[in-house]
Amino acid sequence: MNNTHDLLPDEQLNDALGPAAVPDFDRWQAEHPDAVAYLNPVVTELTRRKRKRWIRMTNAVVAATILVALASWWIASPESSFAETVEAIANARSATWTITSYERAHSKDGKRTWVRTSRGEFLYRHPGLFRLNSYDHKGQLTKVEIEDAVNHKSMTWNMLNKTYQNATPGLQVAFDGRGPFGWVNEVLSKRTIELVGKRTLKDGEASVIRYRRPAMRDPERNSLDFWIDVQTKRLVGISDPGANAFDPETLPDRNHPAEEEFSKMSIIGSVNENIVFDANVDPAEFTLKAPEGFKLVEAAQPAAITEADLVEWYRVVAKVNNNTFADSLRATDTERIWTALRTEPAERNKLEKELGDVWLKNFKKGNQNLTLGFRSRHTEEGSFRYVGKGVKLGDDTRIVCWYRLKETDKYRAIYGDLSIRDVDENDLPIAVE
Amino acid sequence: MQRSDQLLVEAACNGDIESFRELYERHYSRIVAIARSHLHDQHLAEDAAQETFAVACQKLSTLTNADRLPQWLRVICRRISHRMLRSSRRAAPLDHDPPQNNESADLSEHEDNKARLQQAVTRLSASQREIIYLRYYSDQSYQQIADLLGLTAKAVHGRLQRARRELTRQMKKSGQHNPGESTSMNIEPGAS
């Protein structure tokens, strides 16, 4: 029997096995006071010292070999310098870098391929100004995108037909105030990574640190390589995917002649490089003013976001996140949500599928980030506040967020039980100003 | 942002009980799923899970690789479950007793099917039961199950399909399942 439709439906198995057990930690703790007593820094230290002594005594030769290898490795190892790498990223007040995208073009008759590249130049100024100058495969400047991520404003200039648009989809959809490479710090600090070797750059050498992204459709291409300069310990490049799956220098068709016409194009990979932190970046580069002579083209406006849309999103996020609302108004900052949305649709469980469906529904309506969109388009400026971290789904005593709808005086709040109520600002948990 | 297991383990070892609470709540349902797959009884499974966390709490400082916490908990849980099985020396009970009379034919048939399916699950191999419980009881994703069992997501999918085929075969044999019939509506969200 190979047909999935002949198998027992999921619902029947869910019903037979019943609902998952609900943890009651307070009760467990009351019943196991002796166990909890072991959570003690003194106990931990004694245990670890004992373990270290045991390793030294019984593996003296191996330990010595390891120490020798580590000593010679440490000189070029970036692991001792992650603190410096992370610090440089976190403290950067500006940055410039380039991005080169590689695509494989197929001829009209499908018999030949060649590599096509396009380039972009990024500029960044703290706390949230971004600019991307995009060049096509002929080296022609085709588009300029400027974004003020803090104030959720952006503008795109089309350099070929001399037009511009306001409020187009942003460069930094998941902006969270950590700068353009804050997510790299997250990976270096908290995820499983490995040192895979060295890379020669045009002006030095870099250690290559690899991270494997979970749940990618093609596991062969799930790597991200971070290049960290061995001398300065700074992040200088990122290859997506990593060198195990993509190396622009060795692409077999990299020198094939390009043709005017092609039947299809496929993405090979991209490289962010020439990263310079605290570069000299002129604030005038981020002016949200179109060049002289450019004509305004109205961008399609995303669909209105209702309170019901927001409640639906909060509900499904909380259900996926162990019946707890997301930590912040950017739900994808919460690891459980981030992982769920990056799991392949076929691999998602029931709740993750529902989350993905709700997200996709809003994405198609032009609302990629529902809370940000609701805040910027439907509430009085500065009135929206999210306080959902730690609030349990169903808790009618805790507020998840509050706001004033545009052109109204009254505050409204969404509670943990997803009810929406008018509230007096004096009853809000934090002062509104 | 949710903290990783590694950070929580480190904090718990330094006396932060709230960090252990987070670990407990994060992993509880999947550990109960593992226990239940061996013990076939919800109450015993929860006892085993709670004992698992008691042992884990005592031994937490010996865990050298906190990234392998779920696998470590699973090993502890299996040992405790097997010990409980040996000491109990009784056949695995059904979670549900079939109804005693036929006053309501529809209700009886549903409950009967449910009981037979629960019985069929107990006849799967231990590894198949674990996957079935992790997926349908604890609602774990393929990747989460793969990480816990040290498999690839693809392997999990394959094993799950084989387990479901076996269950379907057993149910058909007992005449209680009609493939292709479904009473659930498959509503497609997103149409706008």
Side-chain angles (χ1 to χ4, degrees), chain A residues 33-83:
Chain A
D34 293 339
V36 174
Y38 279 80
L39 296 179
N40 183 307
V42 174
V43 170
T44 299
E45 181 58 26
L46 284 172
T47 307
R48 288 174 181 171
R49 277 191 209 162
K50 192 174 161 186
R51 187 171 68 231
K52 282 180 187 172
R53 271 203 303 274
W54 184 83
I55 287 172
R56 280 201 295 271
M57 281 191 301
T58 60
N59 294 287
V61 173
V62 173
T65 306
I66 290 172
L67 283 171
V68 168
L70 279 175
S72 57
W73 195 43
W74 182 86
I75 293 167
S77 167
E79 289 168 339
S80 63
S81 64
F82 275 173

Side-chain angles (χ1 to χ4, degrees), chain A residues 75-134:
Chain A
I75 293 167
S77 167
E79 289 168 339
S80 63
S81 64
F82 275 173
E84 296 170 64
T85 310
V86 164
E87 196 181 330
I89 292 172
N91 292 340
R93 285 295 170 263
S94 66
T96 59
W97 69 100
T98 60
I99 179 168
T100 308
S101 302
Y102 296 80
E103 294 173 300
R104 174 160 288 120
H106 298 252
S107 61
K108 289 285 265 189
D109 60 8
K111 291 180 181 174
R112 294 170 304 286
T113 63
W114 61 95
V115 177
R116 211 164 84 156
T117 61
S118 53
R119 193 169 58 87
E121 294 169 343
F122 268 104
L123 297 89
Y124 161 76
R125 267 183 74 97
H126 180 80
L129 297 173
F130 294 85
R131 175 171 173 144
L132 172 60
N133 300 328
S134 298

